[in-house]
Amino acid sequence: MSSAPSDCRFDVTRRKTFSQLLGSRSRKQKRRCSSELVPREAVVRLMKHHQNLGDLLLEVTGSGSERDGVDSDDHNAGTPARGSFIASVFHEQALMNDVPPGLLTARTAVEKIQQIEQLGLTPRHTVMLDADQRGKLVCLLQSLRELMSTGMLSRLQFREEIWKAKEVPMLEVVWHLQKENIVSLEELVTSNPDVTFAVRWLFDNLCLLCSEAEDQYQHQDIPRQILSDIVAELVGNGFKESNNLESDRKERQFSQVCFEVLNRMLLWLLDNLCKENETEGASVERATQFWLNVFDTALFHGTLSPDLLKQFFYHTLTQILTFNPVLEASDAIRMQGEWCFAKTKILLTTLYRKIFVLFSAEELIVHLRQVLETHEVNWQNVLSCASTLLVCQPPTQQLLKELLANLLTNSFENYELESIITAFLLVRQAAVEGPAVFISYSEWFKKSFGSANGYHGGSKKALIFLLKFLTDLVPFETVQYLKVHILHPPYVPSKYRALLLEYVSLAKTRLADLQASVEDMGLYEDLSTAHEAPKPQCQALQDVEKAVQIFETTGKIPASVMEASIFRRPYYLARFLPALLVPRALPDSLDSHMAFIDSLKRADKIPDTMYASYIHACNREKQQQLEGVSTFEAMDHGREPIEVLSAALEELRKVAIDPSKTDVVSAQIAVISGQLKTMIDDEDHCTAMDKPIQLDTVVDSLGPLEMEVRDLLLKSFCQTFLVVSSFNPPQRQGEWASLFVKMLCGHRRLLSAVLLRVLHLTCRQASSLSDVHVLGLAGFTLHIHILRISLSVESLQSAGKEEVSFVNHLNQSLVCRTGECSTFCLRFCTAAVAYAVCLSSSRCSSALDVVQQFVPPVFMQKLQYVIPRLIPKCRRDHDVVVEPIWINLVGLHLNWTAAAISLFKHHTFKELAEMKHFQLTFYDWLMFELEVQPHGDLLSDVDRQEYQHWACYQHYLPSPLAAGGCGGDLLTACRTIINSLMDFSKRAKVQSFEEFSCSRRPSFNRSSYENIICRLQEMVFDLESVRAKAPREDGHFLLDVFLDRRAKLELQTLSKQIEQQIELQLFTRILVALPPCVLFKTRIDGLKTTLECEEFFHFTNAELRNGYCKEFVLPFHIVSHFFRGLLNASVHCEKPSSAVDGILSNSKVRCPLLMLSATYWWARLEPVLCTQWKRSSDTPFPRELQTMLDSQLWASRLLVGKLESGPPCCPWVLGAFLYFTLQRGNSLKMLQTAMREICAENKEFQVSVLYLTLMHLVSSLLQPKETSDLTVPLKTCADMIMILEEQNQPWLDIFMVVNKDYKPHQILFSMISDVERKLLPIVFYSLMIILDPKLVSSVIKHSDFLFVAITLHSAMVKLFLDGENIIPVSDQPDLQNSNQPDPLELITKGRRFLLRVIPSCSGQIISQHNKLQAVCKDIDLELKASLDHQLQLCAGDGLYSEPTLL
């Protein structure tokens, strides 16, 4: 049965296969005669004694037949028979040996597999086949598939034989068996009762696969495919849901095997990653790297669901973090500096990053916390994982801060040691990665524990817990962290100071043991890294350089230097001062280094002996270097011009300190001016000082030298101002500042550049300006104000340019919109006004007049607004003081609050605030407050409301009018608020336009408009409670404000008309924001209470009718406001229903536009009114409102085809309900039915419906873009005219509303605006030219037709000649051509129409000749001539007959 491998190879390559032998034998038999055939039985017997079943499995594959030239037809024909043939052979052999056929087949297949595995040249302990072995295995598998299809191969027996064999098949063989669907991995594993052996076998084979894949195969397609398929099988079964495994024991067994194999492979992987100095080295690394492919999600090609992969990755991450937890937390504290991302093994960081792919940063942080809370962890892996996560996923930084906060909160609430240890390890690990990844450890420690609000500040127990923890860390701490804790200790109340000193003593002892000292540590040394600190001498030099830079920027001694002089005196005296006081040749003027030394000397921070030695050594150095040089001019020789200017400015700083040296200061100013002239050629040096400066001409024309000189001048002024102010108050500083600014006025180009720079700094960089900058800029600005320097700037409000003072122009940018801006305004204006007050006191004994010239009024107003707003103490404290105010603005740390309070209480400030042009009036306060943006305000909503109440009710309301208040009059206060709201809104629109025109993005941030509206509502409510009891007064306080403003506008120009429209919109916005009952006056006459609304009726007829109507009705919010106010006000009457009915009945006559608008909006208005009435009264709905409700119901029923008589109602109101209901339902065709069958006898109803159709047409003409089709309104009007003609109803007089003296339809006339009235002639002729000729013949028979037609034609011609372009022209040509009537063409058609109908109107001509001649006398001579001609014809004939038009 067995054969050698060489025999097998010979059989396959040289000998003919069994099928070939049969085929050739068959062909030979075909050529022989039938008598020569050999019996088949003899052949079969022969083969039974000589056959090899294993080789037979390889022979029947059919691959050899093609190589040996067997015809494909014959081969294909014989393929189906091969499986049955080999099956019969195995069956006969089994019968001969008395063995089950399936068992024989399985045993033979397993033996053949072992033979194939032994053929290779590779050692036995391998999992991969070579190419020859793989080819034979493929042939064998094909045969096995054929045997399985015939039932001769049993899967169960085959699996059993595999496990009974001496050697378990290679992993690649198992993979092929599963891939060819012969035996799956699950079937193979579950068929072995020894689970431990199955796990060990699979684990060993996977390890061998990883080792061999990199060593022996350049092309790793097959190993990678094996890995992908096997791992997919393991993960898919090892991480199944438990509820899916309860029914089948074998599935549970296989799931356990898969899970255990994956666990072993993971431990093998982690063991390889953690090995150090391996002997195998590269081979282990390559095997490990190959297994890392398992964590490439693309490897699985969608064979596993994301949830399964996440479970697998979560499990892997947990195993990594908990692998071999031998290191204690103390070890981690000592060693974690070596576990940063850069020092972690690349393979481990690669594994982390592959795992991170499937998760968000938040999911990873949550899982990390769960592992830390529930497992004993490997701190090296945890911290390296945290580093990798922080570096590779930036969102983790914020999440880690939140995790740290939670850990510390939990730790100090429950006094849990593990949480605080975890937090410290994590934050130190994060800080090791550098500031680009996380804040430094020292910064985090100060934020967390450096104040009373720290985590430990809640109780003494929490403080002791923290100090005990830090004490326990000391033996394991590194030098840098100990220094952080000593130099930035946690906040400790004074009574527990001894506890902190115990820790500091212990930490210093530990530092001494480590041969490090905190005394040698630098002031600006980086404490967050574990790097070795620099040598003390080098660190001291770095500290000096850094301190001088900070001093040059801020003008103040750095806090770190001040602290070191007190708390770290050994380092300060032994290291820092020697490095600072290195002898050198001192410059002629103070540089930043020398100024810093002088500041320290004045603060008594340099010992006298050390300072004297330094000065002596410096003088000696200077003497040696500058021998023979004695004059300033000699020092200037050979220097650059900018250096000469800088030296001159430094010399000015030195001489300005002494105010008595006025001549020296003037001379030095002259030197500076001369140097400026040599450097910059200014052609405007002769220009008068009072001529406005053109800033826009300098913006883009400055060269590099000019910009450098500009910055040098401004910087020098600020520095000199600070130095001089530190020695003397403003009144004793002399004239240096005034002379400096006057000198600049002689260099107008430079002055323009400096002023631009000042504007830029104060407007765009205000938040970044230090106290030194603010003081210097304020002083400079004040001297510019004293000299009355003005600018010429563009203005959109006036044509061209306008002249404005520099201070006022600067003040426009000093807005208080946000808390940051308000704080800067407080600082800047306080410095400027305080400086002005102090400076003026030196001029004369009666300084008030001088103060008025020195102090900018706009700065005074700004301070009166911002000081009480930001400092609540100043709202109630009215004390007057005379103490010096400049003392608070001098020193290392300026106290701006104290300076502002001192200035606000100063008697001079109080006296100025009482003067009219320095006052902050109620109106001015409102304009400032409206600028505030609530979202950026320093005050909260509650604080802002409290402040506004104080300002309105406690400050300005009781203040007299002369002081800018309201004199206790609520009416005056309300008017002022309304005016300010309208002016602010108009100014906001202008500013938005300016921002657009300047190509800047406009700022539409929300202002305090709503807050001020609330204050107005409160005042109006208080006012209304008094007005009902007040005596009768004419007018309405609210509407009078608008009328007064309107009276000031000249409406002759178009711009003023537009402004009036804007005013109306703004006022209406305020009106509807107030309580609606304000529109009504409540009069108490004895026991009777009545309502009046005449002023609002007049306002509606005069203003809203012309300026606020859309589609010939008022907007809904106005109508709703009126009706809600009516119902609210009626509650105060004895009979609310009667009061409502009276107002509505009166409005039909006095203000029909309101009622017309109510019918238009009734569908939205009705539920509001019904709900409000039910809420306020138990009586039935008022009669007038019920009538409107019934009218709407009647119109709605008509819309659905229910024809019935209308309710008793005003005809035009009923007609409005009918028309608007049908219009909304797109059923205007039903108007004809209603007019003919229901309302045939109601003339006024029919005329009102015609009026509404005409208004619809007018609205279509005025808004062509929204209602682009004029066909529907024209046809509706024509249909209405036809119906009226059928019923012989007069209707032409409705067009005579163009004549204000025409009386019949005054109510209809009062509904339409002036613009709509002017369009009626166009509407008339637009209709006449489209009417049916028969209908025209009927129309012209009216006795007044010709008079009406000629009157309207004359009005249309006059409208055209006056140049009023009322009809808007569409932007779309096709729309314009099809819908917009051309006025000139319409006039021409109208004239032709009149000339055509005049011969048919002879009777009208005779009876109305004089009146007709008067109408067209000066307008149309052709019409006049035609009338005269027709009159002559009529006079010639005694009788005449009117011709027809058909």
mmCIF file of all heavy atoms in Angstrom, residues 923 927 930-931 977-992 1007 1009 1013 1045 1062-1063 1065-1067 1069-1070:
data_model
loop_
_atom_site.group_PDB
_atom_site.id
_atom_site.type_symbol
_atom_site.label_atom_id
_atom_site.label_comp_id
_atom_site.label_asym_id
_atom_site.label_seq_id
_atom_site.Cartn_x
_atom_site.Cartn_y
_atom_site.Cartn_z
ATOM 1 N N TYR A 923 -29.303 111.020 28.443
ATOM 2 C CA TYR A 923 -29.239 110.586 27.041
ATOM 3 C C TYR A 923 -27.858 109.999 26.727
ATOM 4 O O TYR A 923 -27.750 108.955 26.075
ATOM 5 C CB TYR A 923 -29.546 111.769 26.130
ATOM 6 C CG TYR A 923 -29.408 111.474 24.657
ATOM 7 C CD1 TYR A 923 -30.442 110.894 23.951
ATOM 8 C CD2 TYR A 923 -28.221 111.759 23.976
ATOM 9 C CE1 TYR A 923 -30.307 110.615 22.590
ATOM 10 C CE2 TYR A 923 -28.079 111.487 22.637
ATOM 11 C CZ TYR A 923 -29.124 110.907 21.950
ATOM 12 O OH TYR A 923 -28.991 110.626 20.611
ATOM 13 N N MET A 927 -26.850 106.123 25.538
ATOM 14 C CA MET A 927 -26.102 105.797 24.318
ATOM 15 C C MET A 927 -24.886 104.932 24.642
ATOM 16 O O MET A 927 -24.545 104.012 23.895
ATOM 17 C CB MET A 927 -25.667 107.072 23.610
ATOM 18 C CG MET A 927 -26.826 107.921 23.102
ATOM 19 S SD MET A 927 -27.913 107.048 21.938
ATOM 20 C CE MET A 927 -26.879 106.989 20.485
ATOM 21 N N LEU A 930 -26.236 101.378 25.616
ATOM 22 C CA LEU A 930 -26.727 100.614 24.469
ATOM 23 C C LEU A 930 -25.594 99.965 23.690
ATOM 24 O O LEU A 930 -25.802 98.980 22.972
ATOM 25 C CB LEU A 930 -27.537 101.535 23.545
ATOM 26 C CG LEU A 930 -28.952 101.866 24.017
ATOM 27 C CD1 LEU A 930 -29.533 103.014 23.205
ATOM 28 C CD2 LEU A 930 -29.853 100.644 23.918
ATOM 29 N N GLU A 931 -24.386 100.502 23.818
ATOM 30 C CA GLU A 931 -23.231 99.927 23.116
ATOM 31 C C GLU A 931 -22.791 98.597 23.722
ATOM 32 O O GLU A 931 -22.119 97.807 23.063
ATOM 33 C CB GLU A 931 -22.047 100.905 23.162
ATOM 34 C CG GLU A 931 -22.205 102.140 22.324
ATOM 35 C CD GLU A 931 -21.784 101.936 20.887
ATOM 36 O OE1 GLU A 931 -21.375 100.824 20.537
ATOM 37 O OE2 GLU A 931 -21.889 102.895 20.120
ATOM 38 N N ILE A 977 -35.469 108.013 26.692
ATOM 39 C CA ILE A 977 -35.125 106.631 26.331
ATOM 40 C C ILE A 977 -35.546 106.336 24.901
ATOM 41 O O ILE A 977 -34.795 105.714 24.133
ATOM 42 C CB ILE A 977 -35.792 105.658 27.321
ATOM 43 C CG1 ILE A 977 -35.209 105.815 28.722
ATOM 44 C CG2 ILE A 977 -35.603 104.213 26.856
ATOM 45 C CD1 ILE A 977 -35.862 104.946 29.767
ATOM 46 N N ILE A 978 -36.739 106.769 24.511
ATOM 47 C CA ILE A 978 -37.206 106.512 23.136
ATOM 48 C C ILE A 978 -36.289 107.188 22.125
ATOM 49 O O ILE A 978 -35.894 106.590 21.110
ATOM 50 C CB ILE A 978 -38.656 106.988 22.976
ATOM 51 C CG1 ILE A 978 -39.590 106.124 23.841
ATOM 52 C CG2 ILE A 978 -39.095 106.896 21.518
ATOM 53 C CD1 ILE A 978 -41.010 106.623 23.893
ATOM 54 N N ASN A 979 -35.925 108.431 22.377
ATOM 55 C CA ASN A 979 -35.026 109.136 21.458
ATOM 56 C C ASN A 979 -33.671 108.448 21.367
ATOM 57 O O ASN A 979 -33.100 108.317 20.279
ATOM 58 C CB ASN A 979 -34.846 110.585 21.924
ATOM 59 C CG ASN A 979 -36.009 111.463 21.540
ATOM 60 O OD1 ASN A 979 -36.496 111.399 20.404
ATOM 61 N ND2 ASN A 979 -36.484 112.279 22.463
ATOM 62 N N SER A 980 -33.167 107.987 22.499
ATOM 63 C CA SER A 980 -31.864 107.311 22.474
ATOM 64 C C SER A 980 -31.952 105.985 21.732
ATOM 65 O O SER A 980 -31.028 105.625 20.981
ATOM 66 C CB SER A 980 -31.362 107.094 23.903
ATOM 67 O OG SER A 980 -32.207 106.200 24.604
ATOM 68 N N LEU A 981 -33.027 105.249 21.915
ATOM 69 C CA LEU A 981 -33.183 103.986 21.203
ATOM 70 C C LEU A 981 -33.226 104.200 19.698
ATOM 71 O O LEU A 981 -32.597 103.457 18.928
ATOM 72 C CB LEU A 981 -34.443 103.270 21.675
ATOM 73 C CG LEU A 981 -34.405 102.654 23.079
ATOM 74 C CD1 LEU A 981 -35.796 102.209 23.504
ATOM 75 C CD2 LEU A 981 -33.441 101.477 23.126
ATOM 76 N N MET A 982 -33.953 105.212 19.260
ATOM 77 C CA MET A 982 -34.058 105.471 17.829
ATOM 78 C C MET A 982 -32.735 105.974 17.259
ATOM 79 O O MET A 982 -32.308 105.555 16.181
ATOM 80 C CB MET A 982 -35.182 106.468 17.567
ATOM 81 C CG MET A 982 -36.566 105.945 17.939
ATOM 82 S SD MET A 982 -37.895 107.078 17.558
ATOM 83 C CE MET A 982 -37.846 107.066 15.766
ATOM 84 N N ASP A 983 -32.066 106.877 17.990
ATOM 85 C CA ASP A 983 -30.779 107.380 17.506
ATOM 86 C C ASP A 983 -29.729 106.284 17.470
ATOM 87 O O ASP A 983 -28.906 106.209 16.542
ATOM 88 C CB ASP A 983 -30.302 108.523 18.395
ATOM 89 C CG ASP A 983 -31.146 109.770 18.244
ATOM 90 O OD1 ASP A 983 -31.825 109.891 17.195
ATOM 91 O OD2 ASP A 983 -31.159 110.609 19.150
ATOM 92 N N PHE A 984 -29.735 105.428 18.468
ATOM 93 C CA PHE A 984 -28.768 104.324 18.486
ATOM 94 C C PHE A 984 -29.006 103.380 17.323
ATOM 95 O O PHE A 984 -28.054 102.930 16.668
ATOM 96 C CB PHE A 984 -28.861 103.574 19.808
ATOM 97 C CG PHE A 984 -28.012 102.330 19.849
ATOM 98 C CD1 PHE A 984 -26.650 102.412 20.081
ATOM 99 C CD2 PHE A 984 -28.560 101.077 19.640
ATOM 100 C CE1 PHE A 984 -25.855 101.277 20.106
ATOM 101 C CE2 PHE A 984 -27.788 99.943 19.664
ATOM 102 C CZ PHE A 984 -26.435 100.037 19.898
ATOM 103 N N SER A 985 -30.261 103.057 17.053
ATOM 104 C CA SER A 985 -30.560 102.137 15.953
ATOM 105 C C SER A 985 -30.152 102.745 14.624
ATOM 106 O O SER A 985 -29.605 102.052 13.756
ATOM 107 C CB SER A 985 -32.054 101.799 15.955
ATOM 108 O OG SER A 985 -32.424 101.164 17.158
ATOM 109 N N LYS A 986 -30.403 104.047 14.444
ATOM 110 C CA LYS A 986 -29.985 104.696 13.202
ATOM 111 C C LYS A 986 -28.470 104.722 13.080
ATOM 112 O O LYS A 986 -27.920 104.478 12.010
ATOM 113 C CB LYS A 986 -30.546 106.119 13.158
ATOM 114 C CG LYS A 986 -32.051 106.193 12.954
ATOM 115 C CD LYS A 986 -32.570 107.597 13.078
ATOM 116 C CE LYS A 986 -32.008 108.496 12.002
ATOM 117 N NZ LYS A 986 -32.568 109.855 12.092
ATOM 118 N N ARG A 987 -27.781 104.995 14.204
ATOM 119 C CA ARG A 987 -26.326 105.019 14.162
ATOM 120 C C ARG A 987 -25.767 103.636 13.887
ATOM 121 O O ARG A 987 -24.761 103.481 13.175
ATOM 122 C CB ARG A 987 -25.790 105.546 15.488
ATOM 123 C CG ARG A 987 -24.290 105.809 15.472
ATOM 124 C CD ARG A 987 -23.854 106.455 16.757
ATOM 125 N NE ARG A 987 -23.900 105.524 17.863
ATOM 126 C CZ ARG A 987 -23.601 105.841 19.120
ATOM 127 N NH1 ARG A 987 -23.265 107.075 19.418
ATOM 128 N NH2 ARG A 987 -23.666 104.925 20.078
ATOM 129 N N ALA A 988 -26.407 102.605 14.421
ATOM 130 C CA ALA A 988 -25.956 101.239 14.157
ATOM 131 C C ALA A 988 -26.072 100.901 12.681
ATOM 132 O O ALA A 988 -25.206 100.227 12.112
ATOM 133 C CB ALA A 988 -26.768 100.253 14.998
ATOM 134 N N LYS A 989 -27.147 101.375 12.037
ATOM 135 C CA LYS A 989 -27.288 101.137 10.595
ATOM 136 C C LYS A 989 -26.191 101.843 9.822
ATOM 137 O O LYS A 989 -25.609 101.295 8.882
ATOM 138 C CB LYS A 989 -28.665 101.618 10.126
ATOM 139 C CG LYS A 989 -29.836 100.767 10.602
ATOM 140 C CD LYS A 989 -31.151 101.321 10.095
ATOM 141 C CE LYS A 989 -32.314 100.448 10.540
ATOM 142 N NZ LYS A 989 -32.306 99.141 9.855
ATOM 143 N N VAL A 990 -25.863 103.078 10.221
ATOM 144 C CA VAL A 990 -24.798 103.822 9.538
ATOM 145 C C VAL A 990 -23.460 103.137 9.730
ATOM 146 O O VAL A 990 -22.664 103.002 8.795
ATOM 147 C CB VAL A 990 -24.763 105.278 10.047
ATOM 148 C CG1 VAL A 990 -23.560 106.011 9.476
ATOM 149 C CG2 VAL A 990 -26.045 106.001 9.667
ATOM 150 N N GLN A 991 -23.177 102.678 10.950
ATOM 151 C CA GLN A 991 -21.905 101.988 11.205
ATOM 152 C C GLN A 991 -21.790 100.712 10.404
ATOM 153 O O GLN A 991 -20.720 100.386 9.880
ATOM 154 C CB GLN A 991 -21.771 101.698 12.698
ATOM 155 C CG GLN A 991 -21.538 102.939 13.541
ATOM 156 C CD GLN A 991 -21.523 102.625 15.019
ATOM 157 O OE1 GLN A 991 -21.865 101.527 15.431
ATOM 158 N NE2 GLN A 991 -21.131 103.595 15.832
ATOM 159 N N SER A 992 -22.885 99.981 10.276
ATOM 160 C CA SER A 992 -22.863 98.763 9.459
ATOM 161 C C SER A 992 -22.564 99.109 8.014
ATOM 162 O O SER A 992 -21.793 98.418 7.329
ATOM 163 C CB SER A 992 -24.205 98.038 9.565
ATOM 164 O OG SER A 992 -24.445 97.617 10.890
ATOM 165 N N SER A 1007 -26.538 94.032 21.191
ATOM 166 C CA SER A 1007 -26.301 95.123 22.113
ATOM 167 C C SER A 1007 -27.257 94.996 23.291
ATOM 168 O O SER A 1007 -27.974 94.014 23.449
ATOM 169 C CB SER A 1007 -26.496 96.449 21.394
ATOM 170 O OG SER A 1007 -27.873 96.618 21.061
ATOM 171 N N TYR A 1009 -29.872 96.651 23.687
ATOM 172 C CA TYR A 1009 -31.153 97.217 23.263
ATOM 173 C C TYR A 1009 -32.299 96.613 24.067
ATOM 174 O O TYR A 1009 -33.190 97.333 24.561
ATOM 175 C CB TYR A 1009 -31.336 96.964 21.769
ATOM 176 C CG TYR A 1009 -32.553 97.615 21.158
ATOM 177 C CD1 TYR A 1009 -32.464 98.840 20.534
ATOM 178 C CD2 TYR A 1009 -33.795 96.987 21.191
ATOM 179 C CE1 TYR A 1009 -33.576 99.441 19.966
ATOM 180 C CE2 TYR A 1009 -34.910 97.572 20.636
ATOM 181 C CZ TYR A 1009 -34.795 98.805 20.016
ATOM 182 O OH TYR A 1009 -35.895 99.389 19.464
ATOM 183 N N ILE A 1013 -34.965 98.497 26.550
ATOM 184 C CA ILE A 1013 -36.408 98.365 26.292
ATOM 185 C C ILE A 1013 -37.126 97.928 27.576
ATOM 186 O O ILE A 1013 -38.229 98.412 27.889
ATOM 187 C CB ILE A 1013 -36.654 97.361 25.151
ATOM 188 C CG1 ILE A 1013 -36.377 98.016 23.788
ATOM 189 C CG2 ILE A 1013 -38.078 96.828 25.183
ATOM 190 C CD1 ILE A 1013 -37.417 99.023 23.358
ATOM 191 N N ARG A 1045 -39.915 114.507 16.339
ATOM 192 C CA ARG A 1045 -38.748 114.166 15.516
ATOM 193 C C ARG A 1045 -39.055 114.356 14.040
ATOM 194 O O ARG A 1045 -38.192 114.799 13.272
ATOM 195 C CB ARG A 1045 -38.321 112.711 15.783
ATOM 196 C CG ARG A 1045 -37.812 112.458 17.175
ATOM 197 C CD ARG A 1045 -37.531 110.981 17.403
ATOM 198 N NE ARG A 1045 -36.466 110.489 16.553
ATOM 199 C CZ ARG A 1045 -35.175 110.438 16.889
ATOM 200 N NH1 ARG A 1045 -34.806 110.857 18.085
ATOM 201 N NH2 ARG A 1045 -34.279 109.970 16.057
ATOM 202 N N ILE A 1062 -37.285 105.255 7.855
ATOM 203 C CA ILE A 1062 -36.511 104.512 8.847
ATOM 204 C C ILE A 1062 -36.968 104.881 10.255
ATOM 205 O O ILE A 1062 -37.123 104.018 11.125
ATOM 206 C CB ILE A 1062 -35.002 104.797 8.661
ATOM 207 C CG1 ILE A 1062 -34.531 104.251 7.311
ATOM 208 C CG2 ILE A 1062 -34.194 104.194 9.797
ATOM 209 C CD1 ILE A 1062 -33.093 104.600 6.987
ATOM 210 N N GLU A 1063 -37.201 106.169 10.467
ATOM 211 C CA GLU A 1063 -37.677 106.605 11.779
ATOM 212 C C GLU A 1063 -39.005 105.942 12.121
ATOM 213 O O GLU A 1063 -39.224 105.509 13.262
ATOM 214 C CB GLU A 1063 -37.843 108.139 11.786
ATOM 215 C CG GLU A 1063 -36.541 108.896 11.741
ATOM 216 C CD GLU A 1063 -36.242 109.576 13.056
ATOM 217 O OE1 GLU A 1063 -37.174 109.786 13.847
ATOM 218 O OE2 GLU A 1063 -35.074 109.874 13.316
ATOM 219 N N GLN A 1065 -40.161 103.076 11.053
ATOM 220 C CA GLN A 1065 -39.937 101.661 11.357
ATOM 221 C C GLN A 1065 -39.355 101.479 12.755
ATOM 222 O O GLN A 1065 -39.797 100.597 13.516
ATOM 223 C CB GLN A 1065 -38.999 101.050 10.311
ATOM 224 C CG GLN A 1065 -39.591 100.985 8.912
ATOM 225 C CD GLN A 1065 -38.583 100.464 7.901
ATOM 226 O OE1 GLN A 1065 -37.481 100.079 8.259
ATOM 227 N NE2 GLN A 1065 -38.958 100.466 6.636
ATOM 228 N N LEU A 1066 -38.373 102.307 13.112
ATOM 229 C CA LEU A 1066 -37.758 102.189 14.429
ATOM 230 C C LEU A 1066 -38.749 102.517 15.538
ATOM 231 O O LEU A 1066 -38.789 101.846 16.579
ATOM 232 C CB LEU A 1066 -36.541 103.113 14.520
ATOM 233 C CG LEU A 1066 -35.393 102.829 13.542
ATOM 234 C CD1 LEU A 1066 -34.306 103.872 13.688
ATOM 235 C CD2 LEU A 1066 -34.831 101.434 13.766
ATOM 236 N N PHE A 1067 -39.553 103.561 15.304
ATOM 237 C CA PHE A 1067 -40.534 103.934 16.326
ATOM 238 C C PHE A 1067 -41.593 102.852 16.497
ATOM 239 O O PHE A 1067 -42.010 102.534 17.616
ATOM 240 C CB PHE A 1067 -41.185 105.269 15.959
ATOM 241 C CG PHE A 1067 -42.209 105.718 16.954
ATOM 242 C CD1 PHE A 1067 -41.824 106.290 18.151
ATOM 243 C CD2 PHE A 1067 -43.568 105.556 16.703
ATOM 244 C CE1 PHE A 1067 -42.762 106.696 19.081
ATOM 245 C CE2 PHE A 1067 -44.512 105.959 17.617
ATOM 246 C CZ PHE A 1067 -44.112 106.532 18.808
ATOM 247 N N ARG A 1069 -41.194 99.732 16.006
ATOM 248 C CA ARG A 1069 -40.561 98.626 16.719
ATOM 249 C C ARG A 1069 -40.602 98.853 18.226
ATOM 250 O O ARG A 1069 -40.850 97.922 18.999
ATOM 251 C CB ARG A 1069 -39.112 98.489 16.246
ATOM 252 C CG ARG A 1069 -38.322 97.389 16.923
ATOM 253 C CD ARG A 1069 -36.861 97.431 16.505
ATOM 254 N NE ARG A 1069 -36.060 96.441 17.209
ATOM 255 C CZ ARG A 1069 -34.735 96.387 17.162
ATOM 256 N NH1 ARG A 1069 -34.061 97.272 16.443
ATOM 257 N NH2 ARG A 1069 -34.072 95.461 17.831
ATOM 258 N N ILE A 1070 -40.361 100.097 18.637
ATOM 259 C CA ILE A 1070 -40.432 100.415 20.062
ATOM 260 C C ILE A 1070 -41.880 100.364 20.538
ATOM 261 O O ILE A 1070 -42.179 99.873 21.635
ATOM 262 C CB ILE A 1070 -39.821 101.802 20.321
ATOM 263 C CG1 ILE A 1070 -38.332 101.802 19.943
ATOM 264 C CG2 ILE A 1070 -39.997 102.224 21.768
ATOM 265 C CD1 ILE A 1070 -37.688 103.166 19.979
#
